[in-house]
Amino acid sequence: MPSASLIKEFEKLIGKENVFTSEADRQSYAYDSAVLPPVTPGLVLRPTHAEHIGMLLRRCYDEGLPMTIRGAGTNLSGGTVPDSPRTVVIVTTALNRILEINEEDLYAVVEPGVVTAALAATAAGKNLFYPPDPGSQAVSTIGGNIAESSGGLRGLKYGVTKDYVMGLELYDTTGELVRTGSRTVKCVTGYNIAGLMSASEGTLGIITKAVLKLVPPPKASRAMTAMFSDMRKASEAVAGIIAAHVVPCTLEFLDHATINYVEDYTQIGLPRDAAAVLLIELDGHPAQVADDAAEVERVLQACGASGIVTAANVEEKKKIWEARRAALPALARNRPTIVLEDATVPRSKIPAMIEALEGIAKQFNVTMGTFGHAGDGNLHPCILCDRRDKAEFERVEQAVDAIFNAALELGGTLSGEHGIGTAKAKWLEKETSRGSIMFSRRLRKALDPKGLLNPTKLVGV
């Protein structure tokens, strides 16, 4: 823990109520949503004004204290797990104001602690649309979304968080305010620092303000469910829809195990005997939606769908997405531990990846349910287990190795949206190169010469 005098200094700056020193309080910030051992930090600070961030960062840096920046802690790769008991966690959730919704130029200005769903709802109230929708959107915050470049169900058509970042304000290790980007559609003033901060996982600075692009909402939408008696046929249908040059707003996948876990949990009428279900939503101009829906149905039938159901109204559409968003909690409630991954492959390789996942589950004798954003190749194989069973968890770790090896062999990537953190760092060189890692480390060292910002995360220091 920092010295008593430094703690007093922090209390004077941000208020005693925002400096957490008790063990119980500090333990609350010892983990994220990944299956990694918790590390209780030495101190937790919750600034309430953006200017405080620069002051706190500079003082911690001068004292040689490692720092972890944290929003809601929903990330899934160890990014907000403190590096050591000396770590100071700086929590940004109190910086939670929506500063502006600009209806003329279509952007929002927000602080990093704004909850994603709150921004989306506020924009919708102005007849505007903020598309990024991570599964944790009801809890996760914008600063964390940017730091991880979070994706979501609509990523297929609308992209991920990084595609909506127009500008940022952040503080660097010297405590200096850095402004990058703008409120204009185009901006090439200087280095693309905003782009660099996206997916930087808290290793380069602390974001205090974001300018985010908004778009007009679609005029129409249509949602449908397609059932398949064979998983490979379902994965071929995904590739077939994209090959037909139809880009749905959302194209999601549930395998047989996940269907039944979700139905146990929600009882909303999913077909328990289906080997796989595709959940599809099309949006845009009404005429385009109608044409695309007809083409999608043609592809589904050609690929052997055993049934296709189109939502007749808003309530039925909500049930479709309730089923998808319930997938993770439905799986997680069945065993003490769930290992959730996000191996991602080119869309045309989805059938091969599904086949590989089935083989891996059998080879290592693990219980696996798979769901995910099939339309953009981002699958979420979930292994249900008990970490306390050492023999079982050893098989789980071998299965995870095999999952990533399979994704990389198919031309894919370690992470479509969850980030690298510490959980995936050991595989990073296999996807990129030693040169890529060293380049990144030199970049980090230039901006953080003491290596104190989330030191072990991403490429380490």
Side-chain angles (χ1 to χ4, degrees):
M1 184 177 293
S3 66
S5 61
L6 186 60
I7 290 174
K8 288 290 185 184
E9 185 179 333
F10 290 151
E11 289 176 345
K12 184 177 180 181
L13 177 63
I14 64 174
K16 189 172 183 178
E17 69 278 10
N18 294 307
V19 177
F20 305 119
T21 58
S22 74
E23 185 172 356
D25 284 339
R26 290 183 288 115
Q27 284 179 346
S28 300
Y29 299 91
Y31 54 87
D32 65 1
S33 297
V35 185
L36 293 169
V39 178
T40 302
L43 185 66
V44 178
L45 304 173
R46 185 179 62 189
T48 55
H49 298 284
E51 302 78 32
H52 292 161
I53 293 279
M55 300 176 194
L56 295 174
L57 199 163
R58 182 69 227 178
R59 286 298 289 124
C60 288
Y61 209 80
D62 288 343
E63 295 292 328
L65 295 169
M67 289 164 277
T68 292
I69 301 90
R70 181 186 176 100
T74 59
N75 53 294
L76 289 153
S77 59
T80 56
V81 176
D83 293 283
S84 78
R86 294 185 65 242
T87 297
V88 175
V89 171
I90 299 177
V91 185
T92 60
T93 51
L95 302 174
N96 57 10
R97 295 178 300 163
I98 298 175
L99 300 171
E100 181 183 1
I101 299 289
N102 190 299
E103 299 176 65
E104 293 182 329
D105 293 320
L106 306 186
Y107 65 77
V109 182
V110 304
E111 292 183 319
V114 169
V115 172
T116 315
L119 170 60
T122 302
K126 303 285 188 180
N127 196 33
L128 293 170
F129 185 32
Y130 180 67
D133 62 336
S136 59
Q137 64 174 330
V139 181
S140 65
T141 57
I142 292 297
N145 289 175
I146 296 170
E148 299 288 340
S149 193
S150 302
L153 277 65
R154 291 192 285 257
L156 167 61
K157 180 174 182 178
Y158 289 103
V160 298
T161 301
K162 69 179 180 181
D163 300 309
Y164 293 84
V165 178
M166 298 171 64
L168 294 175
E169 288 189 6
L170 61 126
Y171 283 91
D172 68 7
T173 57
T174 69
E176 290 287 342
L177 176 63
V178 178
R179 290 192 176 98
T180 177
S182 75
R183 289 163 167 76
T184 60
V185 174
K186 296 185 289 185
C187 174
V188 292
T189 304
Y191 292 119
N192 183 11
I193 300 173
L196 186 62
M197 291 297 293
S198 296
S200 63
E201 300 189 23
T203 62
L204 302 178
I206 303 181
I207 296 166
T208 56
K209 187 184 294 184
V211 182
L212 302 171
K213 178 172 68 174
L214 303 175
V215 297
K219 295 183 181 300
S221 66
R222 187 177 302 184
M224 61 181 73
T225 305
M227 285 69 74
F228 290 84
S229 58
D230 180 87
M231 189 182 296
R232 187 170 184 85
K233 289 180 180 178
S235 58
E236 288 172 350
V238 172
I241 290 169
I242 303 302
H245 297 174
V246 176
V247 181
C249 163
T250 307
L251 176 48
E252 298 289 303
F253 169 89
L254 305 177
D255 71 357
H256 176 75
T258 306
I259 291 167
N260 282 275
Y261 285 128
V262 170
E263 188 59 19
D264 289 342
Y265 182 50
T266 63
Q267 299 181 358
I268 60 176
L270 291 178
R272 287 185 177 275
D273 59 344
V277 165
L278 295 183
L279 310 174
I280 305 160
E281 183 168 352
L282 303 155
D283 70 0
H285 187 278
Q288 185 67 54
V289 169
D291 288 349
D292 286 348
E295 183 65 12
V296 166
E297 289 196 30
R298 183 194 67 76
V299 172
L300 293 172
Q301 291 168 353
C303 290
S306 57
I308 303 170
V309 178
T310 299
N313 51 48
V314 173
E315 287 305 313
E316 288 187 10
K317 185 166 75 170
K318 282 182 179 179
K319 281 190 174 182
I320 291 176
W321 300 120
E322 179 185 342
R324 168 58 183 85
R325 293 192 185 280
L328 180 56
L331 287 160
R333 66 198 289 265
N334 286 276
R335 292 294 303 278
T337 307
I338 182 168
V339 178
L340 167 64
E341 297 300 348
D342 75 324
T344 304
V345 296
R347 292 178 289 210
S348 62
K349 302 296 184 182
I350 291 172
M353 189 64 194
I354 293 293
E355 186 175 342
L357 291 173
E358 289 183 303
I360 290 166
K362 292 177 182 177
Q363 179 184 353
F364 297 101
N365 188 27
V366 295
T367 301
M368 186 186 299
T370 300
F371 64 92
H373 320 303
D376 55 25
N378 186 186
L379 300 178
H380 293 308
C382 299
I383 302 176
L384 308 183
C385 59
D386 187 342
R387 188 176 186 132
R388 297 167 296 185
D389 184 332
K390 292 183 179 179
E392 181 184 36
F393 203 72
E394 184 176 335
R395 297 197 311 275
V396 170
E397 291 178 321
Q398 292 171 341
V400 171
D401 278 340
I403 288 170
F404 288 130
N405 284 334
L408 294 178
E409 287 169 5
L410 291 170
T413 181
L414 298 171
S415 178
E417 59 188 7
H418 291 173
I420 299 300
T422 54
K424 301 179 185 179
K426 67 178 181 179
W427 293 288
L428 190 58
E429 186 174 338
K430 187 167 186 178
E431 177 176 341
T432 58
S433 69
R434 182 66 179 167
S436 298
I437 292 173
M438 296 310 296
F439 181 93
S440 300
R441 286 179 178 169
R442 289 193 297 272
L443 180 63
R444 282 192 69 168
K445 190 170 181 62
L447 298 174
D448 177 11
K450 294 183 181 179
L452 297 178
L453 287 179
N454 241 5
T456 64
K457 312 303 163 49
L458 198 54
V459 295
V461 293

